[in-house]
Amino acid sequence: MTMADARYAEEQASELEILQSIYPTELTQHSATEFSISIAIDEEDVLPCTLDLAISYTPEYPDELPGFSISVVEDEDAPEPGETDAVLDAADVATLGAAVRATGEESRGIAMVFSMAAALKEAAGQLLIDKTNDLKRKREARLQREIAAEQAKFVGTPVTRESFLAWKAAFDAEMSAPAATGADAADPKAPRRAIARPDDRPTGRRLFEQDRSLAKSDSKFLADGDVSVDTSRRDRERDAADDDGSGDDDDDDQ
């Protein structure tokens, strides 16, 4: 091992010891040069999540960036995300990786894993905040559209002077046109017939002339057992009585 190799190994061991004190439960060491740090993202009003930052020291670290990877830790006990709960996807992980790499480049030559872990936590928290706020804005906009659509059902078409005059002209034309019925309605060229009115009801004489059976309708009221009156017989009896009375008066005079 060269002196340079020994120096790199010493710096790496020293940094790892410090990281273990900073992340006593979050850091898991896999070998002398490989370990991972569990980073919890628990920003206010954001669905909590956990990221895993895996670090692999290169032979010349810290003069060069360490190998690293980022993954979202799956939690089977976590509740299902709600409508406004943002989660990190593959594109978000790629964005976070770029931010971590940029921080490492700025710290080249000195121990940089802590700075990379801190950058990851900050970037992930801000990304979740932005995504959550965007979901809330979209939900609010959707609710406003639904409210507006519901209110529109109770709002009629505004009446303007032009629309009123157009409606009135159509209404007047409809009211002035005689109604067509039957065959006239089917033939637009047929002459229009006036609408029947209550004053045009047929008289009794017209009904009699139209239906001769009405002349015999009185017979319908003579049910079995009814007695008809013979007015001619009554007149003859009355005349006979008058004749008898006149004879007595003549005898008295004599």
Side-chain angles (χ1 to χ4, degrees):
M1 177 183 293
T2 64
M3 294 181 58
D5 293 338
R7 180 175 64 84
Y8 289 135
E10 183 180 356
E11 290 185 5
Q12 294 170 12
S14 177
E15 182 185 36
L16 182 55
E17 184 178 355
I18 295 173
L19 291 174
Q20 287 173 332
S21 65
I22 296 174
Y23 304 106
T25 58
E26 296 86 357
L27 188 146
T28 301
Q29 184 172 355
H30 306 292
S31 68
T33 59
E34 297 180 348
F35 58 93
S36 60
I37 302 174
S38 179
I39 301 174
I41 311 299
D42 52 2
E43 298 290 339
E44 186 177 357
D45 297 330
V46 167
L47 187 67
C49 71
T50 301
L51 298 176
D52 186 82
L53 175 62
I55 298 294
S56 176
Y57 284 143
T58 58
E60 296 183 358
Y61 174 86
D63 287 341
E64 59 185 7
L65 267 63
F68 71 92
S69 64
I70 301 169
S71 61
V72 179
V73 178
E74 299 293 338
D75 186 357
E76 296 180 355
D77 298 329
E80 288 293 326
E83 185 178 359
T84 60
D85 291 330
V87 295
L88 298 175
D89 53 26
D92 298 326
V93 171
T95 299
L96 295 175
V100 170
R101 181 173 297 279
T103 299
E105 292 289 352
E106 294 174 357
S107 304
R108 187 185 292 269
I110 60 175
M112 64 185 74
V113 174
F114 175 77
S115 297
M116 294 170 67
L120 175 60
K121 182 177 178 65
E122 181 180 359
Q126 188 59 53
L127 183 56
L128 283 174
I129 291 174
D130 293 342
K131 292 186 68 173
T132 299
N133 290 338
D134 185 57
L135 291 175
K136 289 180 178 180
R137 284 192 296 270
K138 290 180 179 179
R139 179 178 182 273
E140 183 64 22
R142 178 179 59 79
L143 292 176
Q144 291 299 325
R145 289 194 299 270
E146 292 176 356
I147 293 174
E150 191 66 23
Q151 292 177 343
K153 297 178 182 179
F154 305 97
V155 178
T157 303
V159 178
T160 63
R161 183 175 183 275
E162 291 75 12
S163 63
F164 173 76
L165 292 177
W167 169 85
K168 188 175 186 305
F171 177 78
D172 292 342
E174 180 180 354
M175 294 301 294
S176 62
T181 59
D184 295 344
D187 185 2
K189 296 182 179 179
R192 299 287 184 177
R193 294 181 180 178
I195 301 175
R197 300 182 181 276
D199 294 343
D200 296 333
R201 290 178 296 180
T203 63
R205 180 176 178 178
R206 186 181 302 174
L207 289 174
F208 181 82
E209 292 175 348
Q210 292 175 352
D211 190 355
R212 293 293 183 180
S213 65
L214 294 177
K216 301 178 182 180
S217 62
D218 289 344
S219 64
K220 300 177 182 178
F221 295 98
L222 297 177
D224 293 341
D226 290 346
V227 178
S228 62
V229 178
D230 188 351
T231 58
S232 63
R233 179 181 178 183
R234 184 184 60 184
D235 292 340
R236 289 194 301 272
E237 291 176 353
R238 184 181 61 187
D239 293 341
D242 291 343
D243 292 341
D244 292 342
S246 63
D248 294 339
D249 292 341
D250 293 340
D251 293 339
D252 292 340
D253 291 342
Q254 291 178 358

PDB file of all heavy atoms in Angstrom, residues 114-131:
ATOM      1  N   PHE A 114     -21.478  13.481   4.535  1.00  0.00           N
ATOM      2  CA  PHE A 114     -22.473  14.170   5.368  1.00  0.00           C
ATOM      3  C   PHE A 114     -23.168  15.276   4.570  1.00  0.00           C
ATOM      4  O   PHE A 114     -24.385  15.446   4.659  1.00  0.00           O
ATOM      5  CB  PHE A 114     -21.813  14.754   6.620  1.00  0.00           C
ATOM      6  CG  PHE A 114     -22.767  15.566   7.451  1.00  0.00           C
ATOM      7  CD1 PHE A 114     -23.699  14.954   8.273  1.00  0.00           C
ATOM      8  CD2 PHE A 114     -22.745  16.959   7.393  1.00  0.00           C
ATOM      9  CE1 PHE A 114     -24.591  15.707   9.030  1.00  0.00           C
ATOM     10  CE2 PHE A 114     -23.636  17.718   8.141  1.00  0.00           C
ATOM     11  CZ  PHE A 114     -24.569  17.097   8.967  1.00  0.00           C
ATOM     12  N   SER A 115     -22.381  16.024   3.805  1.00  0.00           N
ATOM     13  CA  SER A 115     -22.977  17.096   2.987  1.00  0.00           C
ATOM     14  C   SER A 115     -23.924  16.519   1.939  1.00  0.00           C
ATOM     15  O   SER A 115     -24.989  17.096   1.657  1.00  0.00           O
ATOM     16  CB  SER A 115     -21.873  17.906   2.307  1.00  0.00           C
ATOM     17  OG  SER A 115     -21.061  18.556   3.260  1.00  0.00           O
ATOM     18  N   MET A 116     -23.555  15.390   1.363  1.00  0.00           N
ATOM     19  CA  MET A 116     -24.406  14.748   0.364  1.00  0.00           C
ATOM     20  C   MET A 116     -25.719  14.266   1.008  1.00  0.00           C
ATOM     21  O   MET A 116     -26.802  14.427   0.427  1.00  0.00           O
ATOM     22  CB  MET A 116     -23.667  13.584  -0.283  1.00  0.00           C
ATOM     23  CG  MET A 116     -22.465  14.015  -1.123  1.00  0.00           C
ATOM     24  SD  MET A 116     -21.413  12.617  -1.654  1.00  0.00           S
ATOM     25  CE  MET A 116     -22.532  11.768  -2.765  1.00  0.00           C
ATOM     26  N   ALA A 117     -25.630  13.700   2.211  1.00  0.00           N
ATOM     27  CA  ALA A 117     -26.825  13.229   2.911  1.00  0.00           C
ATOM     28  C   ALA A 117     -27.731  14.401   3.288  1.00  0.00           C
ATOM     29  O   ALA A 117     -28.969  14.313   3.157  1.00  0.00           O
ATOM     30  CB  ALA A 117     -26.427  12.432   4.152  1.00  0.00           C
ATOM     31  N   ALA A 118     -27.121  15.492   3.755  1.00  0.00           N
ATOM     32  CA  ALA A 118     -27.913  16.668   4.116  1.00  0.00           C
ATOM     33  C   ALA A 118     -28.591  17.277   2.887  1.00  0.00           C
ATOM     34  O   ALA A 118     -29.747  17.719   2.941  1.00  0.00           O
ATOM     35  CB  ALA A 118     -27.015  17.690   4.804  1.00  0.00           C
ATOM     36  N   ALA A 119     -27.862  17.299   1.757  1.00  0.00           N
ATOM     37  CA  ALA A 119     -28.445  17.829   0.521  1.00  0.00           C
ATOM     38  C   ALA A 119     -29.610  16.971   0.059  1.00  0.00           C
ATOM     39  O   ALA A 119     -30.626  17.487  -0.433  1.00  0.00           O
ATOM     40  CB  ALA A 119     -27.364  17.896  -0.558  1.00  0.00           C
ATOM     41  N   LEU A 120     -29.484  15.657   0.219  1.00  0.00           N
ATOM     42  CA  LEU A 120     -30.558  14.759  -0.174  1.00  0.00           C
ATOM     43  C   LEU A 120     -31.810  14.996   0.665  1.00  0.00           C
ATOM     44  O   LEU A 120     -32.917  15.082   0.132  1.00  0.00           O
ATOM     45  CB  LEU A 120     -30.096  13.310  -0.036  1.00  0.00           C
ATOM     46  CG  LEU A 120     -31.162  12.244  -0.295  1.00  0.00           C
ATOM     47  CD1 LEU A 120     -31.714  12.359  -1.715  1.00  0.00           C
ATOM     48  CD2 LEU A 120     -30.583  10.844  -0.045  1.00  0.00           C
ATOM     49  N   LYS A 121     -31.642  15.140   1.952  1.00  0.00           N
ATOM     50  CA  LYS A 121     -32.788  15.363   2.842  1.00  0.00           C
ATOM     51  C   LYS A 121     -33.487  16.682   2.504  1.00  0.00           C
ATOM     52  O   LYS A 121     -34.723  16.748   2.418  1.00  0.00           O
ATOM     53  CB  LYS A 121     -32.331  15.377   4.296  1.00  0.00           C
ATOM     54  CG  LYS A 121     -33.462  15.555   5.306  1.00  0.00           C
ATOM     55  CD  LYS A 121     -32.923  15.494   6.716  1.00  0.00           C
ATOM     56  CE  LYS A 121     -34.040  15.716   7.730  1.00  0.00           C
ATOM     57  NZ  LYS A 121     -35.063  14.638   7.704  1.00  0.00           N
ATOM     58  N   GLU A 122     -32.713  17.722   2.297  1.00  0.00           N
ATOM     59  CA  GLU A 122     -33.303  19.034   2.000  1.00  0.00           C
ATOM     60  C   GLU A 122     -34.017  19.036   0.644  1.00  0.00           C
ATOM     61  O   GLU A 122     -35.142  19.539   0.521  1.00  0.00           O
ATOM     62  CB  GLU A 122     -32.218  20.107   2.019  1.00  0.00           C
ATOM     63  CG  GLU A 122     -32.746  21.502   1.743  1.00  0.00           C
ATOM     64  CD  GLU A 122     -31.640  22.549   1.766  1.00  0.00           C
ATOM     65  OE1 GLU A 122     -30.471  22.178   2.023  1.00  0.00           O
ATOM     66  OE2 GLU A 122     -31.949  23.732   1.515  1.00  0.00           O
ATOM     67  N   ALA A 123     -33.338  18.467  -0.377  1.00  0.00           N
ATOM     68  CA  ALA A 123     -33.938  18.458  -1.714  1.00  0.00           C
ATOM     69  C   ALA A 123     -35.204  17.604  -1.756  1.00  0.00           C
ATOM     70  O   ALA A 123     -36.208  17.981  -2.393  1.00  0.00           O
ATOM     71  CB  ALA A 123     -32.925  17.958  -2.728  1.00  0.00           C
ATOM     72  N   ALA A 124     -35.168  16.459  -1.078  1.00  0.00           N
ATOM     73  CA  ALA A 124     -36.332  15.583  -1.077  1.00  0.00           C
ATOM     74  C   ALA A 124     -37.504  16.237  -0.341  1.00  0.00           C
ATOM     75  O   ALA A 124     -38.657  16.160  -0.792  1.00  0.00           O
ATOM     76  CB  ALA A 124     -35.982  14.249  -0.433  1.00  0.00           C
ATOM     77  N   GLY A 125     -37.222  16.895   0.787  1.00  0.00           N
ATOM     78  CA  GLY A 125     -38.282  17.578   1.529  1.00  0.00           C
ATOM     79  C   GLY A 125     -38.931  18.679   0.704  1.00  0.00           C
ATOM     80  O   GLY A 125     -40.161  18.801   0.663  1.00  0.00           O
ATOM     81  N   GLN A 126     -38.100  19.481   0.022  1.00  0.00           N
ATOM     82  CA  GLN A 126     -38.644  20.567  -0.786  1.00  0.00           C
ATOM     83  C   GLN A 126     -39.424  20.032  -1.989  1.00  0.00           C
ATOM     84  O   GLN A 126     -40.472  20.583  -2.359  1.00  0.00           O
ATOM     85  CB  GLN A 126     -37.511  21.469  -1.267  1.00  0.00           C
ATOM     86  CG  GLN A 126     -37.988  22.740  -1.953  1.00  0.00           C
ATOM     87  CD  GLN A 126     -38.849  23.587  -1.042  1.00  0.00           C
ATOM     88  OE1 GLN A 126     -38.448  23.909   0.088  1.00  0.00           O
ATOM     89  NE2 GLN A 126     -40.027  23.971  -1.516  1.00  0.00           N
ATOM     90  N   LEU A 127     -38.932  18.948  -2.563  1.00  0.00           N
ATOM     91  CA  LEU A 127     -39.629  18.362  -3.701  1.00  0.00           C
ATOM     92  C   LEU A 127     -41.008  17.847  -3.299  1.00  0.00           C
ATOM     93  O   LEU A 127     -41.998  18.050  -4.020  1.00  0.00           O
ATOM     94  CB  LEU A 127     -38.789  17.225  -4.289  1.00  0.00           C
ATOM     95  CG  LEU A 127     -39.336  16.543  -5.547  1.00  0.00           C
ATOM     96  CD1 LEU A 127     -39.585  17.553  -6.659  1.00  0.00           C
ATOM     97  CD2 LEU A 127     -38.373  15.449  -6.009  1.00  0.00           C
ATOM     98  N   LEU A 128     -41.081  17.215  -2.144  1.00  0.00           N
ATOM     99  CA  LEU A 128     -42.373  16.722  -1.671  1.00  0.00           C
ATOM    100  C   LEU A 128     -43.327  17.869  -1.337  1.00  0.00           C
ATOM    101  O   LEU A 128     -44.532  17.787  -1.582  1.00  0.00           O
ATOM    102  CB  LEU A 128     -42.173  15.830  -0.446  1.00  0.00           C
ATOM    103  CG  LEU A 128     -41.655  14.416  -0.729  1.00  0.00           C
ATOM    104  CD1 LEU A 128     -41.351  13.688   0.572  1.00  0.00           C
ATOM    105  CD2 LEU A 128     -42.681  13.637  -1.552  1.00  0.00           C
ATOM    106  N   ILE A 129     -42.787  18.945  -0.755  1.00  0.00           N
ATOM    107  CA  ILE A 129     -43.622  20.119  -0.460  1.00  0.00           C
ATOM    108  C   ILE A 129     -44.199  20.699  -1.744  1.00  0.00           C
ATOM    109  O   ILE A 129     -45.390  21.012  -1.830  1.00  0.00           O
ATOM    110  CB  ILE A 129     -42.803  21.179   0.305  1.00  0.00           C
ATOM    111  CG1 ILE A 129     -42.481  20.689   1.713  1.00  0.00           C
ATOM    112  CG2 ILE A 129     -43.553  22.505   0.361  1.00  0.00           C
ATOM    113  CD1 ILE A 129     -41.554  21.621   2.486  1.00  0.00           C
ATOM    114  N   ASP A 130     -43.340  20.848  -2.761  1.00  0.00           N
ATOM    115  CA  ASP A 130     -43.799  21.415  -4.037  1.00  0.00           C
ATOM    116  C   ASP A 130     -44.857  20.523  -4.692  1.00  0.00           C
ATOM    117  O   ASP A 130     -45.870  21.021  -5.205  1.00  0.00           O
ATOM    118  CB  ASP A 130     -42.610  21.602  -4.980  1.00  0.00           C
ATOM    119  CG  ASP A 130     -41.634  22.664  -4.477  1.00  0.00           C
ATOM    120  OD1 ASP A 130     -42.032  23.479  -3.609  1.00  0.00           O
ATOM    121  OD2 ASP A 130     -40.482  22.663  -4.941  1.00  0.00           O
ATOM    122  N   LYS A 131     -44.626  19.217  -4.677  1.00  0.00           N
ATOM    123  CA  LYS A 131     -45.580  18.312  -5.295  1.00  0.00           C
ATOM    124  C   LYS A 131     -46.901  18.284  -4.528  1.00  0.00           C
ATOM    125  O   LYS A 131     -47.993  18.226  -5.128  1.00  0.00           O
ATOM    126  CB  LYS A 131     -44.987  16.897  -5.372  1.00  0.00           C
ATOM    127  CG  LYS A 131     -43.810  16.759  -6.322  1.00  0.00           C
ATOM    128  CD  LYS A 131     -43.374  15.318  -6.463  1.00  0.00           C
ATOM    129  CE  LYS A 131     -44.410  14.481  -7.175  1.00  0.00           C
ATOM    130  NZ  LYS A 131     -43.946  13.115  -7.477  1.00  0.00           N
TER     131      LYS A 131
END
